[in-house]
Each structure stands twice: as structure tokens, then as C-alpha cells.
Amino acid sequence: MDDTTAREELRFFLKDTVRQSVDFFRTAQNLGAPPPPVQKPVPGDAARISLPGPEKWTAVGDLSLREAMERRRSVRQFSNRPFTLEELAFLLWATQGVRGESDPVRTYRTVPSAGCRHPFETYLAVFRVEGLEKGLYRYLPLEHALLPLGHPDRLEEETARAALGQKFAGKGAVTFFWTALPWRTEWRYSEASVKVIALDGGHICQNLYLACEAIGAGTCAIAAYDQDAADRLVGADGKDEFVVYMAPAGKKGDFTTP
């Protein structure tokens, strides 16, 4: 296969041509298959850490949307100041928070998603957040809570290693890992899911950028990472769930931009 052919095949995933070949009458949804859970299941006896909801937030500033957009930068240097639990709760709500009632087929969230499928889970490597031990957590959007996953040794180094040695990935207050569970979208859209899952990931990270500005923090999207190391760190199986995006976030210090 020559380079031109390879490029053309890869560019196929940026187009919506695939939609013309999908028989939408024969998707899993239309064939009567039950919908996948809108949130990854949690053991019934698992400890959960409740997060403060919007009605309790006082730390979120009055920054206008225009100002947030004007100030948005990719931040790679962070101060040592921690996030408060309230600030972390706001960032999680801004990126995957649930608005209104949910049902087995859909959840309405603070970010758009094709067909309201929301095929992502949010994992956190927490380094400096008041009230939380350093460790790994999973966000539970339906409960607006955190599920503790463990406290690995050398978490900063393991996070940087998962980001192909980009040290700033382990230098913020917290690093977001977003995993995709493709079946959530494939259930409705079959082979046409690949492109929209990628687009949905961009919606999430842009909300993180803007929300960080509102609390005097910054972030930097990371799309270059070690797939196996990242999956292993958050406990994803690499087949039905795998990391697709990372982003460290922290209070601003001296920083550089791309």
C-alpha cells in the first residue's frame, strides 16, 4: 500500500461517507437489543465520595463566556496550589454533568453527544485536591460522586509515562483521562459511530478549557499517549473500553502556550 492510498483510507474516518453504507433499520437499537448502561456499573457496596452540586458552589467566578474564550490557552505549567473539592466538582459537572432526568437510553448532559449517547467515562489522577487522598478515581455523573479506585505508588510518574513522557501531565492538581465505550454509540449508529465519538470527545475537552478559566486554572489537551500504559493505569480493558484523551488541569503559574 503506497502512502497516498494509506492517507486516503485514513481520511475516510473524517468523512460521513460511511453513513451511506449503514442499514439503520438493522442497528442493534432497531433490532431490539437492550441499550448499554449510560454509566459504567458500580459495585453495590463500593464507597462513593459525594461532590457538592451547583447549588452549593461559591468558588466559581463571574467570568463571562466571552472572557473565558478570549483567555483560553493551553497551559503546561501549574502552581502548587490545590483545587478545592468544589472546584473539581465544577470541572466534572462542566465536562460530563447530568442535567435533568435520565433514562436507560439517554442522559442530557452539559456537553452535546451524537444521539445523546455519551460514550465516555471520566477517570482522574488526583494529586492535589483538598479533601481527597492522592489516587485514582472515576466520576459517577448520575450520582455526581467519585468512586475511589486506588492509590498507586509514583502516580505522577505513571501519569507522565502514560502521556509518552510529557512530564507536565503529572504536574497539575488533577489529570483527566477520558475513556470511550464505543458500544454505547454503536448500539444506535453501528459503523457510523467512529467519527461522532471523536467529535464528542472534543466537546468535552473544550468545556474543560472554558471551565478552568472560570476558576483561575488551566489545562492542556493531550492526544499523544501510550495506549497500553494509559489503559492499564485507569483499569480499562483496551478492547471494549480504552483511553482516547487526557488533560491535566491545575491552578495557573508561569506558563507557555503552543
Side-chain angles (χ1 to χ4, degrees):
M1 182 184 300
D2 60 34
D3 289 345
T4 300
T5 302
R7 282 196 297 271
E8 288 177 353
E9 290 190 359
L10 291 171
R11 288 173 181 174
F12 174 79
F13 292 102
L14 292 173
K15 301 178 180 180
D16 209 29
T17 314
V18 65
R19 192 176 298 273
Q20 300 169 14
S21 65
V22 175
D23 182 353
F24 286 98
F25 290 103
R26 296 193 61 77
T27 63
Q29 179 183 17
N30 282 326
L31 290 176
V38 296
Q39 177 177 283
K40 192 175 174 181
V42 181
D45 59 350
R48 295 167 174 82
I49 299 171
S50 296
L51 295 169
E55 70 284 353
K56 297 181 180 179
W57 294 339
T58 59
V60 179
D62 296 325
L63 193 69
S64 71
L65 182 58
R66 174 183 171 180
E67 289 175 305
M69 289 179 173
E70 288 176 339
R71 295 182 187 183
R72 187 215 63 79
R73 300 288 188 275
S74 288
V75 177
R76 295 181 175 85
Q77 294 185 22
F78 307 102
S79 77
N80 290 323
R81 287 183 294 150
F83 281 158
T84 65
L85 193 61
E86 180 181 321
E87 289 171 331
L88 179 60
F90 169 63
L91 297 182
L92 289 165
W93 175 86
T95 51
Q96 279 289 273
V98 173
R99 299 181 294 110
E101 296 296 321
S102 298
D103 61 44
V105 176
R106 64 186 62 82
T107 57
Y108 296 101
R109 305 198 187 190
T110 54
V111 293
S113 175
C116 209
R117 298 308 302 142
H118 297 286
F120 301 104
E121 293 285 338
T122 303
Y123 294 83
L124 302 171
V126 169
F127 308 118
R128 293 186 300 280
V129 175
E130 294 175 358
L132 291 180
E133 292 185 65
K134 183 168 72 172
L136 289 170
Y137 299 81
R138 176 160 64 93
Y139 178 50
L140 307 177
L142 297 184
E143 296 96 324
H144 191 53
L146 291 175
L147 176 69
L149 299 177
H151 308 281
D153 295 332
R154 303 175 63 84
L155 182 58
E156 292 90 347
E157 291 88 342
E158 291 299 321
T159 300
R161 184 176 295 112
L164 291 176
Q166 299 177 84
K167 293 183 179 179
F168 74 92
K171 299 293 187 180
V174 60
T175 295
F176 288 71
F177 290 80
W178 291 292
T179 62
L181 287 81
W183 180 239
R184 284 188 197 159
T185 303
E186 292 166 349
W187 174 78
R188 174 163 288 174
Y189 293 120
S190 191
E191 294 91 339
S193 298
V194 175
K195 176 183 176 179
V196 294
I197 290 173
L199 292 172
D200 285 355
H203 304 323
I204 292 174
C205 199
Q206 177 67 356
N207 265 26
L208 179 63
Y209 269 96
L210 298 178
C212 279
E213 290 296 333
I215 60 170
T219 187
C220 181
I222 296 177
Y225 53 89
D226 182 322
Q227 189 70 60
D228 290 340
D231 290 343
R232 187 166 53 250
L233 183 59
V234 303
D237 64 16
K239 180 182 177 182
D240 296 317
E241 180 186 15
F242 44 85
V243 172
V244 293
Y245 221 176
M246 295 173 58
K251 293 292 186 175
K252 291 182 181 179
D254 296 328
F255 61 87
T256 58
T257 58

Short mmCIF file of all heavy atoms in Angstrom, two decimals, residues 54-106:
data_model
loop_
_atom_site.label_atom_id
_atom_site.label_comp_id
_atom_site.label_asym_id
_atom_site.label_seq_id
_atom_site.Cartn_x
_atom_site.Cartn_y
_atom_site.Cartn_z
N PRO A 54 -24.21 22.25 42.02
CA PRO A 54 -24.23 23.66 41.64
C PRO A 54 -24.85 24.58 42.69
O PRO A 54 -24.43 25.74 42.82
CB PRO A 54 -25.06 23.66 40.35
CG PRO A 54 -24.85 22.30 39.78
CD PRO A 54 -24.76 21.37 40.96
N GLU A 55 -25.83 24.08 43.42
CA GLU A 55 -26.50 24.94 44.40
C GLU A 55 -25.58 25.31 45.57
O GLU A 55 -25.88 26.25 46.33
CB GLU A 55 -27.75 24.24 44.94
CG GLU A 55 -27.51 23.04 45.83
CD GLU A 55 -27.10 21.78 45.09
OE1 GLU A 55 -27.12 21.80 43.84
OE2 GLU A 55 -26.75 20.77 45.76
N LYS A 56 -24.44 24.62 45.71
CA LYS A 56 -23.53 24.87 46.82
C LYS A 56 -22.24 25.55 46.38
O LYS A 56 -21.37 25.81 47.21
CB LYS A 56 -23.19 23.55 47.53
CG LYS A 56 -24.39 22.87 48.17
CD LYS A 56 -23.99 21.59 48.87
CE LYS A 56 -25.18 20.90 49.52
NZ LYS A 56 -24.79 19.63 50.20
N TRP A 57 -22.08 25.85 45.12
CA TRP A 57 -20.83 26.42 44.63
C TRP A 57 -20.72 27.89 44.98
O TRP A 57 -21.65 28.67 44.76
CB TRP A 57 -20.72 26.26 43.12
CG TRP A 57 -20.61 24.84 42.67
CD1 TRP A 57 -20.22 23.76 43.41
CD2 TRP A 57 -20.91 24.33 41.37
NE1 TRP A 57 -20.25 22.62 42.65
CE2 TRP A 57 -20.67 22.94 41.39
CE3 TRP A 57 -21.36 24.92 40.18
CZ2 TRP A 57 -20.88 22.14 40.27
CZ3 TRP A 57 -21.55 24.13 39.07
CH2 TRP A 57 -21.31 22.76 39.11
N THR A 58 -19.57 28.24 45.52
CA THR A 58 -19.27 29.65 45.78
C THR A 58 -17.95 30.07 45.11
O THR A 58 -17.69 31.25 44.95
CB THR A 58 -19.15 29.91 47.29
OG1 THR A 58 -18.11 29.09 47.85
CG2 THR A 58 -20.46 29.61 48.00
N ALA A 59 -17.13 29.09 44.72
CA ALA A 59 -15.80 29.39 44.20
C ALA A 59 -15.80 29.69 42.70
O ALA A 59 -14.81 30.18 42.17
CB ALA A 59 -14.85 28.22 44.47
N VAL A 60 -16.88 29.38 42.01
CA VAL A 60 -16.94 29.62 40.58
C VAL A 60 -17.14 31.11 40.34
O VAL A 60 -18.12 31.69 40.83
CB VAL A 60 -18.08 28.81 39.93
CG1 VAL A 60 -18.14 29.09 38.43
CG2 VAL A 60 -17.86 27.32 40.18
N GLY A 61 -16.24 31.73 39.62
CA GLY A 61 -16.26 33.17 39.46
C GLY A 61 -17.33 33.65 38.50
O GLY A 61 -18.13 32.88 37.96
N ASP A 62 -17.33 34.97 38.28
CA ASP A 62 -18.32 35.60 37.42
C ASP A 62 -17.77 35.88 36.03
O ASP A 62 -18.25 36.76 35.31
CB ASP A 62 -18.79 36.92 38.05
CG ASP A 62 -19.53 36.69 39.36
OD1 ASP A 62 -20.24 35.67 39.46
OD2 ASP A 62 -19.37 37.52 40.28
N LEU A 63 -16.74 35.17 35.63
CA LEU A 63 -16.13 35.37 34.33
C LEU A 63 -17.16 35.12 33.22
O LEU A 63 -17.87 34.11 33.23
CB LEU A 63 -14.96 34.40 34.16
CG LEU A 63 -13.99 34.66 33.00
CD1 LEU A 63 -13.19 35.93 33.25
CD2 LEU A 63 -13.06 33.47 32.83
N SER A 64 -17.26 36.06 32.28
CA SER A 64 -18.21 35.89 31.18
C SER A 64 -17.69 34.84 30.20
O SER A 64 -16.50 34.54 30.15
CB SER A 64 -18.43 37.21 30.46
OG SER A 64 -17.27 37.56 29.71
N LEU A 65 -18.62 34.31 29.41
CA LEU A 65 -18.22 33.34 28.40
C LEU A 65 -17.25 33.97 27.41
O LEU A 65 -16.28 33.33 26.99
CB LEU A 65 -19.45 32.80 27.68
CG LEU A 65 -19.21 31.73 26.61
CD1 LEU A 65 -18.51 30.53 27.20
CD2 LEU A 65 -20.53 31.32 25.96
N ARG A 66 -17.50 35.19 27.04
CA ARG A 66 -16.58 35.87 26.11
C ARG A 66 -15.18 35.97 26.70
O ARG A 66 -14.19 35.69 26.01
CB ARG A 66 -17.11 37.27 25.78
CG ARG A 66 -16.15 38.09 24.93
CD ARG A 66 -16.66 39.48 24.68
NE ARG A 66 -15.63 40.31 24.04
CZ ARG A 66 -15.81 41.58 23.69
NH1 ARG A 66 -16.97 42.17 23.92
NH2 ARG A 66 -14.83 42.25 23.12
N GLU A 67 -15.09 36.36 27.98
CA GLU A 67 -13.77 36.46 28.61
C GLU A 67 -13.08 35.11 28.67
O GLU A 67 -11.87 35.01 28.45
CB GLU A 67 -13.92 37.05 30.01
CG GLU A 67 -14.29 38.52 30.03
CD GLU A 67 -14.54 39.01 31.45
OE1 GLU A 67 -15.37 38.40 32.16
OE2 GLU A 67 -13.90 39.99 31.85
N ALA A 68 -13.84 34.06 28.99
CA ALA A 68 -13.26 32.73 29.06
C ALA A 68 -12.69 32.30 27.71
O ALA A 68 -11.60 31.73 27.63
CB ALA A 68 -14.30 31.72 29.54
N MET A 69 -13.42 32.61 26.64
CA MET A 69 -12.94 32.26 25.30
C MET A 69 -11.70 33.07 24.93
O MET A 69 -10.76 32.54 24.33
CB MET A 69 -14.05 32.51 24.28
CG MET A 69 -15.19 31.53 24.36
SD MET A 69 -16.47 31.90 23.13
CE MET A 69 -17.54 30.48 23.34
N GLU A 70 -11.68 34.35 25.30
CA GLU A 70 -10.53 35.19 24.98
C GLU A 70 -9.27 34.76 25.72
O GLU A 70 -8.16 34.86 25.20
CB GLU A 70 -10.84 36.66 25.30
CG GLU A 70 -11.84 37.30 24.34
CD GLU A 70 -12.20 38.71 24.73
OE1 GLU A 70 -12.02 39.06 25.93
OE2 GLU A 70 -12.68 39.47 23.86
N ARG A 71 -9.44 34.27 26.95
CA ARG A 71 -8.30 33.91 27.79
C ARG A 71 -7.82 32.47 27.56
O ARG A 71 -6.73 32.11 27.99
CB ARG A 71 -8.66 34.07 29.27
CG ARG A 71 -8.96 35.49 29.67
CD ARG A 71 -9.26 35.54 31.17
NE ARG A 71 -9.71 36.85 31.60
CZ ARG A 71 -9.99 37.17 32.86
NH1 ARG A 71 -9.84 36.26 33.82
NH2 ARG A 71 -10.41 38.38 33.16
N ARG A 72 -8.63 31.68 26.90
CA ARG A 72 -8.31 30.26 26.78
C ARG A 72 -6.94 30.04 26.14
O ARG A 72 -6.64 30.52 25.07
CB ARG A 72 -9.38 29.55 25.95
CG ARG A 72 -9.19 28.02 25.92
CD ARG A 72 -9.58 27.42 24.60
NE ARG A 72 -8.73 27.90 23.50
CZ ARG A 72 -7.51 27.44 23.25
NH1 ARG A 72 -6.95 26.54 24.02
NH2 ARG A 72 -6.82 27.93 22.22
N ARG A 73 -6.10 29.32 26.84
CA ARG A 73 -4.78 28.93 26.36
C ARG A 73 -4.51 27.49 26.79
O ARG A 73 -5.13 26.99 27.74
CB ARG A 73 -3.68 29.81 26.96
CG ARG A 73 -3.78 31.29 26.64
CD ARG A 73 -3.43 31.58 25.18
NE ARG A 73 -3.35 33.00 24.92
CZ ARG A 73 -4.38 33.78 24.63
NH1 ARG A 73 -5.61 33.26 24.59
NH2 ARG A 73 -4.22 35.07 24.38
N SER A 74 -3.57 26.84 26.14
CA SER A 74 -3.11 25.54 26.60
C SER A 74 -2.01 25.77 27.63
O SER A 74 -0.96 26.34 27.32
CB SER A 74 -2.58 24.70 25.43
OG SER A 74 -3.64 24.28 24.62
N VAL A 75 -2.28 25.38 28.87
CA VAL A 75 -1.39 25.65 29.99
C VAL A 75 -0.61 24.38 30.33
O VAL A 75 -1.19 23.32 30.54
CB VAL A 75 -2.20 26.13 31.22
CG1 VAL A 75 -1.29 26.34 32.42
CG2 VAL A 75 -2.96 27.41 30.89
N ARG A 76 0.71 24.53 30.38
CA ARG A 76 1.57 23.38 30.66
C ARG A 76 2.40 23.54 31.93
O ARG A 76 3.16 22.64 32.29
CB ARG A 76 2.51 23.13 29.47
CG ARG A 76 1.77 22.71 28.20
CD ARG A 76 2.77 22.47 27.07
NE ARG A 76 2.11 21.97 25.88
CZ ARG A 76 1.53 22.73 24.95
NH1 ARG A 76 1.53 24.05 25.11
NH2 ARG A 76 0.97 22.19 23.89
N GLN A 77 2.29 24.69 32.58
CA GLN A 77 2.97 24.90 33.85
C GLN A 77 1.93 25.33 34.87
O GLN A 77 1.14 26.23 34.61
CB GLN A 77 4.08 25.95 33.72
CG GLN A 77 5.21 25.50 32.80
CD GLN A 77 6.36 26.50 32.78
OE1 GLN A 77 6.51 27.30 33.69
NE2 GLN A 77 7.16 26.44 31.73
N PHE A 78 1.97 24.66 36.02
CA PHE A 78 0.95 24.88 37.05
C PHE A 78 1.60 25.28 38.36
O PHE A 78 2.74 24.91 38.65
CB PHE A 78 0.14 23.59 37.25
CG PHE A 78 -0.44 23.02 35.98
CD1 PHE A 78 0.15 21.94 35.35
CD2 PHE A 78 -1.57 23.58 35.42
CE1 PHE A 78 -0.38 21.41 34.18
CE2 PHE A 78 -2.11 23.07 34.25
CZ PHE A 78 -1.51 21.98 33.62
N SER A 79 0.85 26.01 39.18
CA SER A 79 1.32 26.34 40.51
C SER A 79 1.10 25.13 41.42
O SER A 79 0.47 24.14 41.02
CB SER A 79 0.56 27.55 41.06
OG SER A 79 -0.74 27.19 41.48
N ASN A 80 1.58 25.22 42.63
CA ASN A 80 1.40 24.13 43.60
C ASN A 80 0.10 24.24 44.38
O ASN A 80 -0.18 23.42 45.25
CB ASN A 80 2.57 24.09 44.59
CG ASN A 80 3.85 23.63 43.92
OD1 ASN A 80 3.83 22.75 43.06
ND2 ASN A 80 4.97 24.24 44.30
N ARG A 81 -0.70 25.25 44.09
CA ARG A 81 -1.95 25.42 44.82
C ARG A 81 -2.92 24.30 44.47
O ARG A 81 -3.08 23.94 43.30
CB ARG A 81 -2.59 26.77 44.50
CG ARG A 81 -1.88 27.96 45.12
CD ARG A 81 -2.63 29.23 44.79
NE ARG A 81 -2.60 29.52 43.36
CZ ARG A 81 -3.56 30.17 42.71
NH1 ARG A 81 -4.65 30.57 43.36
NH2 ARG A 81 -3.44 30.41 41.41
N PRO A 82 -3.60 23.73 45.45
CA PRO A 82 -4.55 22.65 45.17
C PRO A 82 -5.88 23.18 44.66
O PRO A 82 -6.20 24.37 44.80
CB PRO A 82 -4.74 21.99 46.54
CG PRO A 82 -4.56 23.13 47.51
CD PRO A 82 -3.50 24.01 46.90
N PHE A 83 -6.64 22.30 44.07
CA PHE A 83 -8.06 22.57 43.82
C PHE A 83 -8.82 22.33 45.10
O PHE A 83 -8.46 21.46 45.91
CB PHE A 83 -8.62 21.63 42.76
CG PHE A 83 -8.29 21.98 41.33
CD1 PHE A 83 -8.34 21.01 40.35
CD2 PHE A 83 -7.97 23.28 40.95
CE1 PHE A 83 -8.06 21.31 39.02
CE2 PHE A 83 -7.68 23.60 39.64
CZ PHE A 83 -7.73 22.62 38.66
N THR A 84 -9.90 23.06 45.29
CA THR A 84 -10.86 22.69 46.32
C THR A 84 -11.75 21.58 45.74
O THR A 84 -11.83 21.40 44.51
CB THR A 84 -11.73 23.88 46.74
OG1 THR A 84 -12.54 24.28 45.62
CG2 THR A 84 -10.86 25.04 47.21
N LEU A 85 -12.43 20.88 46.61
CA LEU A 85 -13.36 19.85 46.14
C LEU A 85 -14.48 20.49 45.32
O LEU A 85 -14.95 19.90 44.33
CB LEU A 85 -13.94 19.08 47.34
CG LEU A 85 -14.69 17.78 47.00
CD1 LEU A 85 -13.76 16.78 46.32
CD2 LEU A 85 -15.30 17.17 48.26
N GLU A 86 -14.86 21.68 45.69
CA GLU A 86 -15.90 22.40 44.96
C GLU A 86 -15.44 22.72 43.52
O GLU A 86 -16.21 22.56 42.56
CB GLU A 86 -16.23 23.70 45.69
CG GLU A 86 -17.29 24.55 45.04
CD GLU A 86 -17.52 25.84 45.83
OE1 GLU A 86 -17.52 25.79 47.08
OE2 GLU A 86 -17.71 26.88 45.18
N GLU A 87 -14.19 23.14 43.39
CA GLU A 87 -13.66 23.45 42.06
C GLU A 87 -13.60 22.20 41.19
O GLU A 87 -13.96 22.23 40.00
CB GLU A 87 -12.29 24.10 42.18
CG GLU A 87 -12.34 25.51 42.73
CD GLU A 87 -10.97 26.07 43.05
OE1 GLU A 87 -10.05 25.30 43.38
OE2 GLU A 87 -10.81 27.32 42.99
N LEU A 88 -13.15 21.09 41.76
CA LEU A 88 -13.12 19.85 41.00
C LEU A 88 -14.53 19.42 40.60
O LEU A 88 -14.76 18.98 39.46
CB LEU A 88 -12.45 18.74 41.81
CG LEU A 88 -12.38 17.38 41.11
CD1 LEU A 88 -11.62 17.45 39.80
CD2 LEU A 88 -11.78 16.32 42.04
N ALA A 89 -15.48 19.55 41.53
CA ALA A 89 -16.86 19.20 41.23
C ALA A 89 -17.39 20.02 40.05
O ALA A 89 -18.10 19.51 39.18
CB ALA A 89 -17.74 19.41 42.46
N PHE A 90 -17.03 21.30 40.01
CA PHE A 90 -17.46 22.17 38.91
C PHE A 90 -16.87 21.70 37.58
O PHE A 90 -17.57 21.64 36.56
CB PHE A 90 -17.04 23.61 39.21
CG PHE A 90 -17.19 24.54 38.04
CD1 PHE A 90 -18.44 24.80 37.49
CD2 PHE A 90 -16.08 25.16 37.48
CE1 PHE A 90 -18.58 25.66 36.40
CE2 PHE A 90 -16.21 26.01 36.40
CZ PHE A 90 -17.46 26.26 35.85
N LEU A 91 -15.58 21.36 37.56
CA LEU A 91 -14.95 20.90 36.32
C LEU A 91 -15.58 19.60 35.83
O LEU A 91 -15.78 19.41 34.62
CB LEU A 91 -13.45 20.73 36.52
CG LEU A 91 -12.64 21.98 36.88
CD1 LEU A 91 -11.16 21.63 36.99
CD2 LEU A 91 -12.87 23.10 35.87
N LEU A 92 -15.89 18.71 36.75
CA LEU A 92 -16.52 17.44 36.36
C LEU A 92 -17.93 17.68 35.83
O LEU A 92 -18.34 17.07 34.82
CB LEU A 92 -16.53 16.48 37.55
CG LEU A 92 -15.16 15.92 37.93
CD1 LEU A 92 -15.20 15.28 39.32
CD2 LEU A 92 -14.69 14.90 36.89
N TRP A 93 -18.67 18.53 36.50
CA TRP A 93 -20.02 18.86 36.04
C TRP A 93 -19.97 19.51 34.65
O TRP A 93 -20.78 19.21 33.78
CB TRP A 93 -20.70 19.77 37.05
CG TRP A 93 -22.05 20.26 36.63
CD1 TRP A 93 -23.26 19.64 36.79
CD2 TRP A 93 -22.33 21.50 35.95
NE1 TRP A 93 -24.27 20.41 36.26
CE2 TRP A 93 -23.73 21.54 35.74
CE3 TRP A 93 -21.55 22.56 35.51
CZ2 TRP A 93 -24.35 22.62 35.11
CZ3 TRP A 93 -22.16 23.64 34.88
CH2 TRP A 93 -23.55 23.65 34.68
N ALA A 94 -19.00 20.41 34.45
CA ALA A 94 -18.90 21.13 33.18
C ALA A 94 -18.57 20.21 32.02
O ALA A 94 -18.94 20.50 30.87
CB ALA A 94 -17.83 22.23 33.29
N THR A 95 -17.91 19.09 32.30
CA THR A 95 -17.46 18.21 31.22
C THR A 95 -18.35 16.99 31.01
O THR A 95 -18.40 16.46 29.90
CB THR A 95 -16.02 17.74 31.48
OG1 THR A 95 -15.92 17.20 32.80
CG2 THR A 95 -15.04 18.90 31.33
N GLN A 96 -19.04 16.53 32.04
CA GLN A 96 -19.90 15.35 31.89
C GLN A 96 -21.12 15.39 32.82
O GLN A 96 -21.78 14.36 33.01
CB GLN A 96 -19.12 14.07 32.15
CG GLN A 96 -18.29 13.59 30.97
CD GLN A 96 -19.15 13.05 29.83
OE1 GLN A 96 -19.51 11.88 29.79
NE2 GLN A 96 -19.51 13.94 28.90
N GLY A 97 -21.41 16.55 33.39
CA GLY A 97 -22.52 16.64 34.34
C GLY A 97 -23.87 16.36 33.70
O GLY A 97 -24.09 16.65 32.52
N VAL A 98 -24.76 15.80 34.48
CA VAL A 98 -26.10 15.43 34.01
C VAL A 98 -27.08 16.56 34.34
O VAL A 98 -27.09 17.09 35.45
CB VAL A 98 -26.56 14.11 34.65
CG1 VAL A 98 -28.01 13.81 34.30
CG2 VAL A 98 -25.65 12.97 34.21
N ARG A 99 -27.90 16.90 33.35
CA ARG A 99 -28.94 17.91 33.52
C ARG A 99 -30.30 17.22 33.42
O ARG A 99 -30.61 16.60 32.41
CB ARG A 99 -28.85 18.98 32.43
CG ARG A 99 -27.55 19.76 32.42
CD ARG A 99 -27.55 20.82 31.33
NE ARG A 99 -27.59 20.21 29.99
CZ ARG A 99 -28.63 20.27 29.18
NH1 ARG A 99 -29.75 20.87 29.56
NH2 ARG A 99 -28.58 19.70 27.99
N GLY A 100 -31.08 17.29 34.46
CA GLY A 100 -32.42 16.72 34.42
C GLY A 100 -32.43 15.22 34.61
O GLY A 100 -31.46 14.60 35.05
N GLU A 101 -33.54 14.61 34.26
CA GLU A 101 -33.74 13.18 34.48
C GLU A 101 -33.02 12.36 33.40
O GLU A 101 -32.85 12.79 32.26
CB GLU A 101 -35.23 12.86 34.46
CG GLU A 101 -36.03 13.50 35.58
CD GLU A 101 -35.60 13.00 36.95
OE1 GLU A 101 -35.31 11.80 37.07
OE2 GLU A 101 -35.56 13.81 37.89
N SER A 102 -32.63 11.14 33.79
CA SER A 102 -32.02 10.19 32.86
C SER A 102 -32.94 8.99 32.72
O SER A 102 -33.80 8.73 33.57
CB SER A 102 -30.65 9.73 33.38
OG SER A 102 -29.76 10.81 33.47
N ASP A 103 -32.76 8.27 31.62
CA ASP A 103 -33.48 7.01 31.45
C ASP A 103 -32.51 6.01 30.85
O ASP A 103 -31.35 6.35 30.58
CB ASP A 103 -34.74 7.22 30.59
CG ASP A 103 -34.43 7.71 29.18
OD1 ASP A 103 -33.49 7.18 28.56
OD2 ASP A 103 -35.13 8.60 28.70
N PRO A 104 -32.91 4.77 30.63
CA PRO A 104 -31.96 3.76 30.15
C PRO A 104 -31.37 4.05 28.78
O PRO A 104 -30.36 3.46 28.41
CB PRO A 104 -32.81 2.48 30.11
CG PRO A 104 -33.87 2.70 31.13
CD PRO A 104 -34.20 4.16 31.03
N VAL A 105 -31.96 4.95 28.01
CA VAL A 105 -31.49 5.21 26.65
C VAL A 105 -30.64 6.48 26.57
O VAL A 105 -29.74 6.56 25.75
CB VAL A 105 -32.69 5.32 25.68
CG1 VAL A 105 -32.23 5.70 24.28
CG2 VAL A 105 -33.46 4.01 25.65
N ARG A 106 -30.90 7.46 27.41
CA ARG A 106 -30.23 8.74 27.22
C ARG A 106 -30.04 9.47 28.54
O ARG A 106 -30.79 9.27 29.50
CB ARG A 106 -31.03 9.62 26.26
CG ARG A 106 -32.40 10.01 26.80
CD ARG A 106 -33.23 10.76 25.79
NE ARG A 106 -33.50 9.96 24.60
CZ ARG A 106 -34.47 9.05 24.52
NH1 ARG A 106 -35.26 8.82 25.58
NH2 ARG A 106 -34.67 8.37 23.42
#
